[in-house]
Every structure is written in C-alpha cells, then in structure tokens.
Amino acid sequence: MMTINQFDATSSLLGYIYQVRYSLLLSLKKMREVDDPDDYHVSIETIDDIAFEKGGTPEELLQTKYHSKPGNLNDKSPDIWKTIRVWVETYKNNQLDLNKANLYLITTENILSDTLAELLSTSRNRNTEKAHELMCSITSDNPSEKNKQAFMLFNSMSETEQKKLCDAIFIIDRSETLVEIEKHLENNLRGYAHSAQLKPFLNRLEGKWFSMAISALETGDGRVNLGEIVNIIDDLREQFLPINLPDDYSSAEVDVSLLLEQDHNFINQMKIFGAGERLIRKAVLDFFRASEQRSRWAGDGLLNPGELVNYFRKLEEEWEFNIGLAETEIAIEDEISKKKLALEVFKKCQNEGAIPIRTHFSESYVARGSYHHLADELIIGWHPDFEQLLNKKTKSEVA
C-alpha cells in the first residue's frame, strides 16, 4: 500500500510541476501575442488548471495532463471526460462564456485516427459536427464510474450548448515532457541573454515564477499579471548584461550562530580590534552570502576566465591603499593606536573600498564578504600584527 501511495504522490507532484512550468511557457508566448501584457492575467488552479483572462473575462482555459509513460487517448478516456466535466461545471457556474473562450486539453498522450480526440484536435481532420455526434453516442452508453458525472453534465446541456462546447474545445497531444519544456522555455528566452547563459537565466526566472505561483495560490486568487513577468524578465536581462551579474543571495538567511562557533580567522581578526557582536554577525552573514554567490556564478559559467582572481587582487590592492592612508593619519605608538588603525582600515574597506565585481553590480555583500574571505585566508588583516597575534602562517606562506 505504501508503495502505491508513493507512486500516486510522485505522479501528482510531477503533474503539478508540469502544470506550473507549462503555464510559464504559455505566458512567455502570450506576452508576445498581446498588445499590452498588463491587461492580462494567467491563473493557476482557479477556474481551470491554467487560464488566461483579460479584464476578468476568461479567454483561454487549459487542462494539462502529464503522463510519465506513453499512452493513447480513446473515446472514453478519463483525461477527456474529466476535462469536459470541469468545463461544463465552470460554464454552469457562469464563469465561462462559450462564445468567447477557447478550451484546450493539453496531454502528453497520443491521438489515434478516427477518434473523438482527432475530431477535436488542431489537425486538418478536425470536425466538431462529427465530434458532437460521437459525444452524444458515447454518453448514451452506460458510463464507467469515472465518467458518470461527466456524461450526466454533458447530457444536461442543450444541443446548442453542446455544439458551442465542441467548437470551443481543442485537444493537443504529444505535449512537451518536463525535460522538453525546459528546452522550449530556453528558446522563448533567446534575445534576453547570451545563448550560453540561457540555462542560468531560466533557472532564476523559474525560481521567481514558482514563488509567484505559490504566493498566488496561498492568497486564494491564483492570478499573476503578465506585466509582472515582463518586469522580472527585464530585471534579469539587466543582471545578465556583460557589465553586471545576477544577485541571488542579498536576502539569503543563514544560522549565523553555527558559523560563529567555528574558528574562523576573519572573525578572530575582528575580535582583535574590539568588534561587537552585531558587527561580527553581519560580517558572518556577508561572508556566507558572498561565498555562495561566487560559487553559483562560477558554477553557472557566468564569470570570465580569471575574473575572480583579478577581483581578489583588486580588493587586496584596495586594502594596501587603505592601510597606507591609515598609517599616514594614525601614529602607531601602542596597542590602542594599533586597534584604532585596524578599525579605520576595516571601515574604509567595508565602505568606500567595497569595490563591485562588475560596474553595475550594486550589492555590497559580495565585496564585503570577499574581504572577509581574504582575511580568513590571512591574505589581508586589519591589525598591523594580525599574523603574529593569530599565530598562523604568514601571508607569504599562505600564498
């Protein structure tokens, strides 16, 4: 029993992922078709699996049916009749105008010749009159338990309503699999990013899209304005310019207490000049965020060859410059003056010395956290005697 439940749960999960992912693909296509995306909403799990509305009026309703294994649609396929049941119920609840809306059943299964699905397909063999006759014949038979409610609802419609329903239905088979959708999504994003960066661009867009979809479902509205998707894509396009990089971790949280328990050099360096707990906790957060961000950029292939090495070198040179300024301003006479110098160098590096890795990348946590990385490796230090005080390898030995 547990195994069956596991398979059922997996199938349902894949179906929902497919639905949300496919809705993004359709939204990208819709954005190009309409005059003003701000006038349109895409909804998930409201009046249908996916729906596009303009001014609150549904124009397209879509049912998605994902199957991990290949199969064929027959005349009494539950995929067809469950979908028809949903549409008829929506119509009877006055949420659907059959004169204005198109109804799509999108399935990964196959349409066979001389079937109801073929008569309602988008192929040249589409014939809604014959489809209506066949549906009337099918619903006159004794239905299975799965189709019973659907047959009853269809038969409860007038002939005119049934024909309007048939005219509005379009069945699309052999839909993209979950893996294939990714390729189609990338193709629809061409022009927004370099071809080599389409996958990381899509990963970030999908992350934001799934968050938006979940938020919309939690509020009960289930709708997302297409203009919001346009804004997200425009923002990502700016981040993927050669003079910029995407920001993924400016809002990332971490259990700082766990890192504080570790014997990190950069934390000990700050303690030497008397940094308080608040400042140290912020440094730990910047250290974590910068480390994760640099790793993701590198993993996504977004950095140029040697770019990170050159960036660390620039930060080290900035540190050297700020030490020179501080030594000019502060006379080193005792431990108090040394700590004063350490704090001054730290302040300059963490503020005006927080050089961005690229000119348009404005988030300071990468620069600040990268300084902490260099301090952790003992490549730089704040106190003039940091190497001796920490009793670690000298900077030359680390290099």
Side-chain angles (χ1 to χ4, degrees):
M1 181 64 69
M2 290 180 64
T3 305
I4 294 174
N5 288 339
Q6 179 184 349
F7 287 144
D8 287 346
T10 301
S11 178
S12 297
L13 177 61
L14 289 175
Y16 281 121
I17 293 174
Y18 180 82
Q19 180 178 329
V20 177
R21 204 172 207 188
Y22 200 84
S23 64
L24 175 58
L25 176 60
L26 294 176
S27 295
L28 293 178
K29 294 178 178 180
K30 192 73 172 179
M31 283 159 38
R32 291 187 171 93
E33 296 172 359
V34 301
D35 294 329
D36 188 353
D38 289 332
D39 292 337
Y40 287 81
H41 286 83
V42 56
S43 63
I44 302 170
E45 287 292 337
T46 53
I47 59 175
D48 214 333
D49 286 353
I50 305 168
F52 288 97
E53 306 172 20
K54 181 180 182 182
T57 301
E59 291 191 350
E60 292 179 294
L61 275 65
L62 303 102
Q63 282 274 326
T64 57
K65 303 297 181 183
Y66 178 77
H67 301 275
S68 56
K69 296 180 179 179
N72 301 317
L73 289 172
N74 59 56
D75 290 345
K76 294 185 179 180
S77 171
D79 275 7
I80 295 176
W81 288 101
K82 280 183 181 179
T83 300
I84 290 173
R85 186 201 73 201
V86 171
W87 286 334
V88 176
E89 287 176 344
T90 303
Y91 169 72
K92 288 185 174 292
N93 289 331
N94 297 316
Q95 294 178 288
L96 172 63
D97 187 342
L98 293 175
N99 293 312
K100 296 181 179 179
N102 289 326
L103 311 174
Y104 295 93
L105 167 58
I106 300 168
T107 177
T108 53
E109 292 196 322
N110 302 315
I111 290 177
L112 299 177
S113 299
D114 302 320
T115 60
L116 174 62
E118 184 183 45
L119 295 174
L120 293 175
S121 70
T122 56
S123 73
R124 63 181 180 180
N125 294 325
R126 176 179 176 82
N127 189 320
T128 57
E129 286 190 18
K130 288 185 178 180
H132 175 247
E133 292 174 3
L134 181 55
M135 290 171 76
C136 289
S137 173
I138 293 169
T139 56
S140 66
D141 292 337
N142 292 326
S144 66
E145 194 61 34
K146 289 183 178 180
N147 292 337
K148 185 176 181 179
Q149 186 67 21
F151 284 15
M152 288 175 58
L153 282 168
F154 180 79
N155 288 329
S156 71
M157 301 176 80
S158 69
E159 183 178 349
T160 301
E161 289 173 324
Q162 291 174 351
K163 288 183 176 180
K164 286 182 179 179
L165 176 66
C166 291
D167 289 339
I169 294 175
F170 296 88
I171 298 179
I172 301 173
D173 70 333
R174 299 180 186 179
S175 177
E176 299 89 341
T177 65
L178 274 169
V179 175
E180 290 169 343
I181 286 180
E182 180 176 351
K183 191 62 180 177
H184 284 278
L185 283 166
E186 288 181 12
N187 289 337
N188 275 272
L189 292 171
R190 290 188 179 277
Y192 294 116
H194 189 277
S195 58
Q197 300 176 344
L198 286 174
K199 187 177 289 295
F201 187 101
L202 173 59
N203 287 341
R204 287 161 174 83
L205 174 60
E206 278 201 301
K208 293 179 182 294
W209 169 247
F210 271 79
S211 295
M212 292 169 67
I214 291 170
S215 177
L217 289 169
E218 286 179 340
T219 61
D221 183 22
R223 301 192 311 160
V224 176
N225 187 273
L226 290 188
E228 292 182 53
I229 306 174
V230 173
N231 292 337
I232 289 173
I233 291 175
D234 286 344
D235 182 55
L236 284 173
R237 179 166 52 181
E238 289 291 321
Q239 294 183 45
F240 275 78
L241 290 173
I243 55 177
N244 203 352
L245 282 166
D247 163 38
D248 304 302
Y249 291 94
S250 60
S251 300
E253 296 298 333
V254 62
D255 188 350
V256 174
S257 59
L258 293 177
L259 290 173
L260 286 171
E261 294 173 0
Q262 301 174 19
D263 187 29
H264 279 289
N265 286 328
F266 79 93
I267 296 176
N268 295 329
Q269 288 218 48
M270 293 177 68
K271 288 179 178 179
I272 291 173
F273 66 74
E277 183 182 353
R278 186 188 298 272
L279 184 60
I280 290 177
R281 292 179 74 88
K282 181 61 170 69
V284 169
L285 189 58
D286 286 339
F287 177 81
F288 167 79
R289 289 174 173 173
S291 176
E292 293 297 308
Q293 186 63 84
R294 293 193 307 267
S295 295
R296 185 167 186 187
W297 284 338
D300 286 341
L302 299 179
L303 297 174
N304 298 321
E307 184 172 9
L308 203 53
V309 173
N310 290 334
Y311 180 58
F312 285 143
R313 178 182 54 77
K314 287 181 181 179
L315 294 181
E316 187 178 354
E317 289 177 354
E318 184 69 15
W319 166 77
E320 292 272 12
F321 174 72
N322 286 315
I323 280 188
L325 285 178
E327 288 175 340
T328 302
E329 297 170 350
I330 301 172
I332 306 298
E333 298 173 344
D334 51 22
E335 184 59 26
I336 293 176
S337 60
K338 288 180 180 180
K339 288 183 178 180
K340 183 178 180 181
L341 182 141
L343 178 58
E344 184 64 22
V345 174
F346 180 86
K347 284 165 59 179
K348 287 183 179 294
C349 287
Q350 291 287 296
N351 291 308
E352 59 264 34
I355 304 169
I357 187 169
R358 290 187 185 172
T359 55
H360 280 220
F361 185 80
S362 59
E363 296 294 337
S364 59
Y365 71 89
V366 170
R368 290 174 177 170
S370 295
Y371 273 119
H372 294 312
H373 166 76
L374 294 174
D376 201 53
E377 296 293 327
L378 297 182
I379 295 173
I380 67 171
W382 314 119
H383 191 284
D385 304 325
F386 73 93
E387 292 165 339
Q388 296 91 322
L389 290 170
L390 291 172
N391 193 25
K392 299 288 185 179
K393 294 180 181 180
T394 64
K395 176 181 168 185
S396 61
E397 287 175 326
V398 172

